[in-house]
Amino acid sequence: MNKRVLLIAFHFPPQAASSGIQRTLSFSRYLGGFAWEPLVLSAHPRAYSQQNPSQLASIPEDIVVRRAFALDAKHHLGYKGRYLALTALPDRWTSWALGAIPAGLSLIRRYKPEVIWSTFPISTAHLIGLVLHRITGLPWVADFRDPMMQPSYPVIPMQRRMYRWIERQAVMRCTTAVFTTHGAMEDYRRRFPDVSPAKFRVIENGYDEDIFDAQPAAPAGAGDASRRLTLLHSGVLYQDGRDPAPFLQALAHLKEAGKATPDTLRVVLRAPGDLDGTRACVAAAGVADLVEVAAPVTYREAVSEMLAADGLMVFQGTPFNAQIPAKLYEYFRARKPIIGLLDPAGETARVLGKAGCNDIAHIDSPDAIAAALERFLTCIAKGRAKVASEEVIRSASRRNRARELALVLDAAAQGARQA
């Protein structure tokens, strides 16, 4: 193997606050199967507010990982959570560039990669990719896990201007801009009409087959209407875009009507972020006997819980219409029925529909949620609930996503050689 790619990613084990580590981690694990040897340039663990050392075992032993100097402005340069805005431009980890640029140049001199790849949502990663691209002339693939410029973010004007500058530099100078959803890609094509549409590509998120292989799924829908069903949402909830309150109100309506009782239904909200706040919301809705608010667990434990559930829930409101939660692909692989509480006009609704999962209700409508939830539970109990097709499941594996990235890298390297 003589083709190498430099992967620049802030989110990498042992970082534990973002599921984004799985995208870079999976590429680092599977690209070798497609004739690309990855080199990883990440941040020193001190910059991570949350760590999970057990994730380190998932990193392939034979790849080079360089962790450059980095600080978190909030924790290392601030006082009682307050810090100067200038120390957090474009983000709180801008100091990472001070260590990563020389470290990246050292890796490039020693290992001679053919392509640079960097991934947002930490904008400093694209800044590092831009500088290394400009210095070395290597082709650059800019990966956007989320769109950079959004209507409500960044809020601070100076930060917003810097984001806009980095975003434009990335789009104009990269060889290929990669997005995780078709909606995000089309939005960038509209915003940059002078850029060739061929420059924009989609590589969706996915699931890790190795994790699921160790824990085979039970058949979906047991067909026993008398047993208690378990519904699971695994991941962060918050008021703007993933507000659980309308769902809890809908659940309260079903409880009042005698259609949901502690003997027939258990709902688990796993790792919602603000545990106390979510529990208070559950109590206010009067459904504490139906809903368990649970603390985070390891990735493997989270997958095991998905496989044990009777149905899975996804929350994704209008502010995130151009995005798809990464866990949705894990839901597909779990081969469990899925109910989507979301904006029907968003990307998540489109992907669910394409997969044949049509149990959808608007996230802001308790009445619509109650009706959809009642139908969903009935179908599960009777063994009639739909799950993702085998074709969708196969295409969504992270190994397949790595194959898609390898094709992008091949084209970038070939274009550079012919230039």
Side-chain angles (χ1 to χ4, degrees):
M1 185 187 304
N2 56 12
K3 294 186 297 185
R4 295 190 175 105
V5 56
L6 176 61
L7 306 179
I8 304 171
F10 180 84
H11 294 127
F12 199 70
Q15 196 273 347
S18 170
S19 61
I21 69 166
Q22 298 301 332
R23 187 167 175 88
T24 306
L25 180 59
S26 66
F27 287 153
S28 73
R29 295 179 64 190
Y30 298 128
L31 278 173
F34 304 99
W36 279 95
E37 179 182 348
L39 314 166
V40 178
L41 176 58
S42 192
H44 191 284
R46 74 165 70 87
Y48 301 148
S49 59
Q50 298 180 41
Q51 297 185 31
N52 180 4
S54 68
Q55 287 275 22
L56 292 169
S58 301
I59 302 174
E61 294 182 358
D62 58 345
I63 71 166
V64 174
V65 179
R66 182 73 60 85
R67 303 181 187 277
F69 170 87
L71 300 174
D72 180 341
K74 180 177 180 179
H75 296 292
H76 299 115
L77 304 176
Y79 179 70
K80 293 185 177 181
R82 299 176 65 86
Y83 52 94
L84 292 174
L86 288 174
T87 65
L89 291 176
D91 51 53
R92 286 165 36 195
W93 303 276
T94 186
S95 59
W96 179 34
L98 300 177
I101 291 170
L105 288 172
S106 174
L107 288 170
I108 290 169
R109 283 194 297 268
R110 180 173 180 181
Y111 295 100
K112 297 178 173 52
E114 294 189 46
V115 183
I116 296 169
W117 176 93
S118 63
T119 184
F120 176 82
I122 301 302
S123 53
T124 295
H126 278 346
L127 184 61
I128 295 165
L130 170 65
V131 173
L132 293 178
H133 161 71
R134 295 286 284 164
I135 292 174
T136 66
L138 288 173
W140 172 30
V141 175
D143 183 66
F144 294 85
R145 299 204 307 268
D146 296 323
M148 284 193 71
M149 295 300 299
Q150 302 183 39
S152 59
Y153 187 83
V155 176
I156 301 171
M158 188 162 41
Q159 186 182 35
R160 193 169 181 83
R161 286 194 296 271
M162 195 156 187
Y163 260 59
R164 183 178 290 109
W165 181 84
I166 295 173
E167 179 188 61
R168 182 165 188 81
Q169 291 293 310
V171 170
M172 300 304 293
R173 295 186 181 278
C174 73
T175 304
T176 308
V178 174
F179 302 89
T180 58
T181 71
H182 289 272
M185 180 181 71
E186 293 304 324
D187 179 58
Y188 271 73
R189 282 178 171 174
R190 287 191 297 270
R191 291 175 50 214
F192 294 91
D194 296 334
V195 176
S196 169
K199 191 173 194 175
F200 301 99
R201 295 285 299 274
V202 171
I203 299 178
E204 296 182 21
N205 284 310
Y207 66 87
D208 194 328
E209 184 64 43
D210 292 348
I211 300 295
F212 284 89
D213 279 347
Q215 305 174 79
D224 181 1
S226 64
R227 68 188 181 90
R228 184 173 74 157
L229 301 178
T230 296
L231 297 187
L232 169 70
H233 177 268
S234 185
V236 178
L237 298 169
Y238 25 76
Q239 289 186 346
D240 186 13
R242 290 185 188 168
D243 185 0
F247 164 72
L248 296 173
Q249 293 173 35
L251 199 58
H253 295 332
L254 294 182
K255 177 182 173 181
E256 292 170 6
K259 297 176 180 178
T261 71
D263 293 328
T264 61
L265 180 63
R266 169 178 174 253
V267 177
V268 179
L269 302 180
R270 173 68 65 184
D274 181 359
L275 293 174
D276 292 338
T278 306
R279 289 186 180 117
C281 193
V282 168
V287 292
D289 54 342
L290 298 176
V291 180
E292 175 187 349
V293 179
V297 293
T298 67
Y299 181 52
R300 288 181 180 273
E301 289 170 328
V303 167
S304 179
E305 189 173 41
M306 290 177 200
L307 294 171
D310 296 290
L312 303 170
M313 300 183 295
V314 57
F315 292 74
Q316 192 80 334
T318 303
F320 306 111
N321 271 1
Q323 302 171 36
I324 300 172
K327 65 176 168 285
L328 184 64
Y329 303 96
E330 294 160 354
Y331 282 7
F332 288 159
R333 173 56 182 83
R335 295 185 173 88
K336 297 292 181 174
I338 302 168
I339 184 168
L341 309 180
L342 35 82
D343 183 342
E347 273 289 292
T348 303
R350 183 190 66 80
V351 171
L352 277 172
K354 184 178 178 181
C357 304
N358 296 311
D359 294 294
I360 292 172
H362 200 292
I363 188 172
D364 297 327
S365 173
D367 290 341
I369 294 172
L373 186 58
E374 183 179 357
R375 291 192 301 270
F376 184 64
L377 293 172
T378 299
C379 287
I380 292 176
K382 294 183 177 180
R384 298 202 306 257
K386 293 182 179 180
V387 300
S389 68
E390 290 303 309
E391 180 183 358
V392 167
I393 292 171
R394 284 193 300 271
S395 68
S397 73
R398 292 193 187 274
R399 187 183 300 276
N400 186 59
R401 303 306 191 207
R403 180 190 64 80
E404 295 173 6
L405 177 58
L407 294 175
V408 170
L409 300 177
D410 287 339
Q414 183 177 359
R417 286 193 291 267
Q418 293 174 348

